[in-house]
Structure formats: C-alpha cells, structure tokens
Amino acid sequence: MSPSIRLRGLLALAALGCCLDVAAAVPPPAPAVSSSLKDIKELESRRLTSDPETWPGAKVYQGLCVNCHEGQVAKAPHRMFLQMMSADAILAALDEGLMRNEGALLTPEKRRQVAEYLAGAPLDAAIPKRAPPRCAGNDFDAAQAPVPLGWGYDNARFIPADVAGLTRDQVPKLKLQWAFAFPGAIRARSQPAIAYGAVYVGSQDGTVYALDLHKGCVRWTYRNSTEVRTAIVPDTQSPRLYFGDITARVHAVDAKTGKLLWSNKIDAHPNATVTGTPTLHDGTLYVPVSSLEVTTAADAKYECCKFRGAVVALDAKTGASRWKAYTITEKPRPVRTTSLGTRIFAPSGAPVWNSPTVDAQRGVLYVGSGENYSSPANDRSDAVLAFRLQDGKLMWSRQMLAGDAWNVGCMMQNNPNCPAEKGPDVDVASGTILHELPSGGRILLAGQKNGYVYGLDPDNGGKVLWKTRVGRGGIQGGVHFGMALEGDRLFVPISDLVNGHDGRTYDSPPRPGLYALDAVSGKLVWSSPAADDCHGRPFCDPGISAPVTAIPGVVFAGHMDGVLRAYDSATGQVIWSYDSAHDVRTVSGAMAHGGSFGGAGVAIRDGHVVVNSGYGLYFHMPGNVLLVFAAAR
C-alpha cells in the first residue's frame, strides 16, 4: 500500500474536516442523489484504494500548490484538509472562489485534475441519480414555532411531554415514515431541528435542507461550500437558522427561504473549525472553536502547534463579533526544535468541541476543553472553564486531568511531532449540563472521554463535588457528544470500543452502553451494557458515541452498531429498536443506507423522531440517510 493510501486510512480515523481557503468559495451546485450501500462502498473504495499519486492531478499539485499547502504558508490550509473535501467544492474554489487567481494559471482540465487528485475521488462520484421531490409550495406552519430546547439552548437534551408529543407507551409503536438520502456522502453528522413544520439539517457536501416534516419533500436548499456538522439552531424570536461549518464560519439563513443573512469567519487559524453547536442566548450566539491541527501534526514537517481553543460571541442579528475568549491565555511560542529542524510551539490546543452552557443567573458561560497539541501540557487542557457572558473574561478553570498532550503524530512511528506525554487524549468532550438541586443550589455536570462523570460546584471555582467512573475510556472511549437529564437522573452514553481501532492497550475491559446516575450524588442508578451484536461486521461497534435524547420515561440512543434504541428511563430496559444499517427506500424512490450513529442525536417534536445515520470516519460504518419515525395510529 502506498504512503498516500495509508495516510487516507489514517485520516478516516483522525481527520475531521476540510480546508479554510475555500470557505468563501462559490458553492458548487447541490447534487440530488440517493445512494445505497453499494454506492457508498464504491465511493469510499475510490477514496481509499485507488492511489491518487498516479493521477494526472498529482503532477499539477506538486508543480503549483505544494509550496503553500505543505505547511510553508501559515494561512494556507494543509494538504490534509484539502484531502477531506469533495472534488466539486475544490473545483469551485479554483474556478470562482478564493483560489480563483491561482486557478487562472491552470487550464480548466488541469483544475479538474487537481481537484480530483486532492479529493481522491472523481467529480462523478456524486452524480445525481434521482432527485428528491420538491414541495408544491413553501407553506410553513407558523403554529409550530421553535422551542428553546436542546443543542443551541441547553445541553440537558430533555424534551418535555408537550413538545415531544410522544409517550412511553407510544414508543414501541414507532414506524419509519420516510427517509432522505444525502448526496455523495459517507457520513451524516448534523443534528436536525424541527420547526415550522419542517426538518432543518446540514450535510457533508455543505447543503442545508428544509424538508417537509410529514412528506419529506424539499422546501428549499442552501449550499454552503464545506461540510455542516453542527446542529441547526432555530431562533425563537425571528425566522432565522444558525449553524457553523467545518471551516470555522458561522452562518445565519432565513428559515422560510434559505436566503443567506450573514456569514462570519470566526478564527484566523487555517485549521480552525466549528464542531460544537453554537448556543443562542438573549440575542447573542456563543460559538465554540476547535481545530483540525491535531491531524495536520501528522506531517512531521509541520510546525506543531499554534492553535488555541476559543469561544466567540456574535451578534445574532448581524453576525458581528462582540468578544473572543481563548482557553489558553498566552500565545504559543517556539519551545524546541525537532530532529528534522522543525520548530515546536506551546502551549497549544485545548479546543472546545462541545456546545456552550449559559448560566444566565450567574452571567457565566461554561465549556469543556480538549487535550493540548504539543508539550508541555498546561492547566487548560481537559478542563471545564467559565467565561463571563458580558465580555468573555475567564472566571475560573477546573482541570479534570493534567498532563494530556497528544496529536495524530502519536499514531505514527517515530513522528517527532508527537508530544512527550503521548496522550491519553481524553477531552472533556460532552457539553456540560447545569442542574437545579432540590436544595435550591446548582450543580454542573460534565462527562469526559476517560469514562468519568463529574458533579462540579459552579459557585466555588468548579470544585469537584463527586466523580463517578462509568466507562473504561480511551481515545474513542468514555463520554463523547452528549448526556441527557430527566429530573435528577443523568443518562450517560459510553463509547468504549470493543472491535475498534484505538491503537492502545488498557488495564480494564470496555464498558459500552447506557448508564444512569443520580445527578445529586453521582451514584449509579442502573446500567444497561451494550451487547456486541456486530458478528464480525466491518467497522461495527456496540458503544454509544452519539448524544442521547430523553423524553418523559424514555431515552433514545443511536449506537455505533447502526441500531437506534429506546430505553426505559426508570430501568434501562430496551423497549424499541431500529436497525439502520441496511438499504432503505427514500422519498426520491432510490435507495440509501444507514450506518453507525455518531456526532448527531435524535430530534423529537410533535410525535416525530428524526435522526441521521452514518459515521464514515474513525473506522465506523458509513451511511447517508435521514430517518423520520412516528407512532403507528
């Protein structure tokens, strides 16, 4: 296997996004295609087994592009980012976007060749097959106004009965109503939102869709140039939608038309991205900033690392920046030189992968941070931080695990960019949950990739009130994207890989599954370990990476084995399940296919359960489908 093919396999595990220079590119036309598992496998096979170094575009890239995109130009995205983009998005950047001046030096044929080379797939990889139906009119339901619940408003992920419109007794009667396929996609990571009688959702190719909740027809589309993996956040005060993209841009579009209202690039670092969903409060959008520099560091020639995690406050009406607060106060500076003569910068990293939590009573914003990217590790990694809402001033920081510095270079032999600490890479990845105690006080609940869950005192500098180890933890273990809270019961999903490609050895067995803790004391209420039903299926694992969502009496959890399960919240018993890892006919009449659940959770409104399936990276099962369920009458 050639080095480039091995690198693409590594990126399937570690890389999370794409390039920044094309963030403002003219978006390519949105293809409408429904793909079965055969199509998805063919697309991924083309990316991972055909060696692009033999393609004509390799010579073009080496002759014109390599000097900027191999780390020599600070503002140019590294080649690793470009390799995660679709060919049509790269071509659009060269034809009409930010790279049009460089593209003008090439013939149209050579622009196409370099786009295909970088994407590792030809332009016809996402040729439309059957277009989904367009709605006859854009009749939005004004009575179904947005509600301030879930990502974008809070991290409790609890939907009350009057909003859910779904009871525990109805859940076993859930049936698939319709399905929608994302074109040319192997993953579906944007959590849907339901409002105005529509399902709003982003996609891998950058398209944001407004779909009719009852029929699945397309009301409108907005084509962004790069992947949208955050949830879509509807504004409760005006018909606006907010979301971030993989190139660290935040957008606002009209909820009724899809018209772009504003767009703002919130971080100048070439590898910055928005993973966590922006949180809306009192006219301000609080946006977490993370980074893919952790992946770029796999290039031994790259000067690792200069990114610092941050939170940016934007005016929700205009997109104008109000303040920016870094997780690491000091700027990274050179601290040593590698054996290759490349400088290492520190402190770096501490990205914010999760959606912020607003504490309006205290005027504070809470976030969790990830690992440092370079040595020496400092006290802001793997921490919970509190910023003042008014101006972003850091009020306190509580580190949950010291000495965690890691990047993808640590997954390669003798890579000089790997920090001395070598991990363990256990971010505070799950969004914190602020909970009112029976005594009248409050507790801040946080989950970490090491398998621990914490109860913190927000009035005492985040002092640890209790901590409970629920999972074994690891690079892909522990708590990932989100817990849920019903009353005093905290539901904790554990990812711990059983069949995965973690690359580490552990001193205890994995504990994938769903667990319930008492939020006041941290004591275990019940456990529901996940059975390994993968039976040798490639990239299948029983754990729960995706966030869970609760309604009265029920918790919904999408597992990495492709099965969506509903658990009784009092006992942990599974009361309903649906295996998404198979072909399903979509509203266009063509077939799509589900896979692992990861990154996006369930949205529930007025009796409908809406979820994305497909997580074709990190060695998990690919998929490209949106599923909509309702209880049989």
Side-chain angles (χ1 to χ4, degrees):
M1 184 180 291
S2 75
S4 67
I5 296 176
R6 279 198 300 269
L7 177 58
R8 289 177 188 280
L10 175 63
L11 288 173
L13 169 65
L16 305 172
C18 43
C19 130
L20 283 175
D21 269 347
V22 298
V26 176
V33 56
S34 298
S35 302
S36 67
L37 179 59
K38 179 181 177 181
D39 299 318
I40 293 172
K41 286 184 175 179
E42 180 183 354
L43 177 62
E44 187 64 355
S45 176
R46 285 164 125 171
R47 287 174 171 161
L48 296 182
T49 62
S50 177
D51 187 358
E53 298 305 323
T54 65
W55 297 6
K59 185 176 181 180
V60 180
Y61 174 85
Q62 292 296 330
L64 181 65
C65 313
V66 67
N67 287 336
C68 289
H69 293 289
E70 297 292 321
Q72 295 92 328
V73 177
K75 291 187 177 181
H78 195 273
R79 174 182 174 177
M80 290 184 183
F81 284 67
L82 302 176
Q83 289 173 326
M84 292 295 291
M85 297 192 64
S86 63
D88 66 331
I90 297 173
L91 184 60
L94 290 168
D95 284 346
E96 304 175 72
L98 288 181
M99 298 300 292
R100 60 186 178 275
N101 291 335
E102 291 78 5
L105 301 174
L106 302 172
T107 65
E109 175 68 9
K110 289 187 181 298
R111 291 198 293 270
R112 180 187 65 79
Q113 289 173 351
V114 76
E116 292 183 334
Y117 161 68
L118 288 169
L123 282 169
D124 66 1
I127 289 179
K129 296 183 179 180
R130 296 188 188 181
R134 303 289 301 195
C135 297
N138 288 346
D139 297 326
F140 289 86
D141 184 0
Q144 195 188 59
V147 291
L149 294 168
W151 276 351
Y153 289 95
D154 66 65
N155 290 322
R157 302 189 59 83
F158 175 75
I159 313 299
D162 60 335
V163 176
L166 184 68
T167 67
R168 189 233 181 263
D169 291 340
Q170 290 175 315
V171 168
K173 303 175 184 177
L174 286 172
K175 300 293 183 182
L176 183 66
Q177 302 299 300
W178 56 268
F180 182 87
F182 298 105
I186 60 171
R187 56 183 179 266
R189 297 193 287 171
S190 172
Q191 180 173 292
I194 306 171
Y196 304 120
V199 175
Y200 299 103
V201 65
S203 66
Q204 183 180 343
D205 76 355
T207 305
V208 175
Y209 297 89
L211 307 172
D212 185 276
L213 175 61
H214 301 282
K215 302 176 183 177
C217 57
V218 178
R219 291 185 176 180
W220 55 252
T221 61
Y222 166 77
R223 182 70 193 272
N224 189 45
S225 60
T226 54
E227 182 176 1
V228 175
R229 62 178 178 180
T230 73
I232 307 299
V233 181
D235 195 322
T236 60
Q237 302 301 313
S238 63
R240 293 193 189 98
L241 306 174
Y242 308 100
F243 57 91
D245 70 23
I246 211 158
T247 62
R249 283 189 174 271
V250 180
H251 310 263
V253 300
D254 188 294
K256 304 297 181 63
T257 66
K259 178 183 177 182
L260 179 66
L261 301 175
W262 56 257
S263 178
N264 188 351
K265 186 169 182 290
I266 60 170
D267 195 289
H269 192 283
N271 297 344
T273 188
V274 178
T275 305
T277 299
T279 296
L280 182 62
H281 172 73
D282 196 23
T284 300
L285 202 62
Y286 299 96
V287 187
V289 186
S290 57
S291 168
L292 308 181
E293 192 179 32
V294 66
T295 297
T296 311
D299 182 351
K301 297 179 294 182
Y302 181 77
E303 290 191 336
C304 176
C305 282
K306 300 176 184 177
F307 171 80
R308 296 177 288 162
V311 178
V312 179
L314 303 178
D315 183 295
K317 185 175 182 180
T318 66
S321 179
R322 289 180 170 169
W323 54 256
K324 184 173 187 176
Y326 289 98
T327 55
I328 298 175
T329 307
E330 62 269 36
K331 293 183 178 180
R333 58 181 178 82
V335 293
R336 66 180 179 89
T337 302
T338 72
S339 57
L340 298 180
T342 303
R343 294 182 299 174
I344 296 293
F345 288 73
S348 67
V352 182
W353 299 101
N354 41 73
S355 187
T357 293
V358 170
D359 185 344
Q361 179 180 327
R362 294 168 179 79
V364 172
L365 187 81
Y366 306 110
V367 299
S369 68
E371 84 281 16
N372 290 116
Y373 293 166
S374 53
S375 292
N378 75 346
D379 62 355
R380 298 294 174 78
S381 59
D382 295 356
V384 176
L385 302 95
F387 296 100
R388 191 159 62 189
L389 288 176
Q390 180 182 358
D391 55 11
K393 179 183 178 181
L394 182 65
M395 305 304 292
W396 54 260
S397 174
R398 175 68 60 174
Q399 188 168 52
M400 314 316 297
L401 180 71
D404 187 2
W406 184 91
N407 63 55
V408 174
C410 297
M411 301 178 71
M412 309 169 77
Q413 288 186 355
N414 302 317
N415 188 308
N417 276 343
C418 177
E421 294 88 344
K422 297 184 180 180
D425 180 27
V426 287
D427 315 354
V428 179
S430 176
T432 57
I433 300 174
L434 190 62
H435 178 48
E436 189 85 29
L437 295 172
S439 62
R442 290 190 177 187
I443 190 170
L444 190 64
L445 307 168
Q448 191 172 357
K449 283 171 53 181
N450 60 2
Y452 278 92
V453 181
Y454 306 89
L456 308 178
D457 184 352
D459 293 318
N460 192 14
K463 177 183 177 182
V464 177
L465 300 174
W466 57 259
K467 69 175 184 178
T468 302
R469 189 170 192 180
V470 181
R472 179 200 64 192
I475 292 177
Q476 289 200 69
V479 187
H480 283 188
F481 287 101
M483 305 180 292
L485 182 71
E486 179 187 6
D488 287 334
R489 190 159 295 177
L490 180 67
F491 306 107
V492 182
I494 294 296
S495 171
D496 291 1
L497 295 189
V498 173
N499 307 309
H501 305 263
D502 196 304
R504 289 185 182 271
T505 58
Y506 296 94
D507 58 3
S508 62
R511 307 177 196 170
L514 185 65
Y515 299 81
L517 301 181
D518 181 273
V520 180
S521 66
K523 292 181 179 179
L524 183 68
V525 177
W526 53 253
S527 62
S528 186
D532 187 357
D533 295 327
C534 291
H535 305 300
R537 280 188 292 169
F539 308 135
C540 178
D541 228 83
I544 309 171
S545 175
V548 294
T549 304
I551 64 173
V554 184
V555 186
F556 288 87
H559 290 239
M560 290 184 289
D561 62 5
V563 179
L564 177 65
R565 295 175 173 87
Y567 293 80
D568 184 296
S569 63
T571 66
Q573 177 187 359
V574 176
I575 60 173
W576 174 85
S577 65
Y578 176 87
D579 187 354
S580 73
H582 59 76
D583 280 352
V584 59
R585 191 165 299 280
T586 68
V587 291
S588 71
M591 305 302 289
H593 197 279
S596 299
F597 291 91
V602 170
I604 304 172
R605 183 82 187 267
D606 294 342
H608 291 80
V609 175
V610 184
V611 67
N612 274 331
S613 178
Y615 200 38
L617 75 173
Y618 304 126
F619 293 116
H620 300 312
M621 294 189 296
N624 70 329
V625 67
L626 174 82
L627 303 166
V628 179
F629 303 89
R633 302 295 181 183

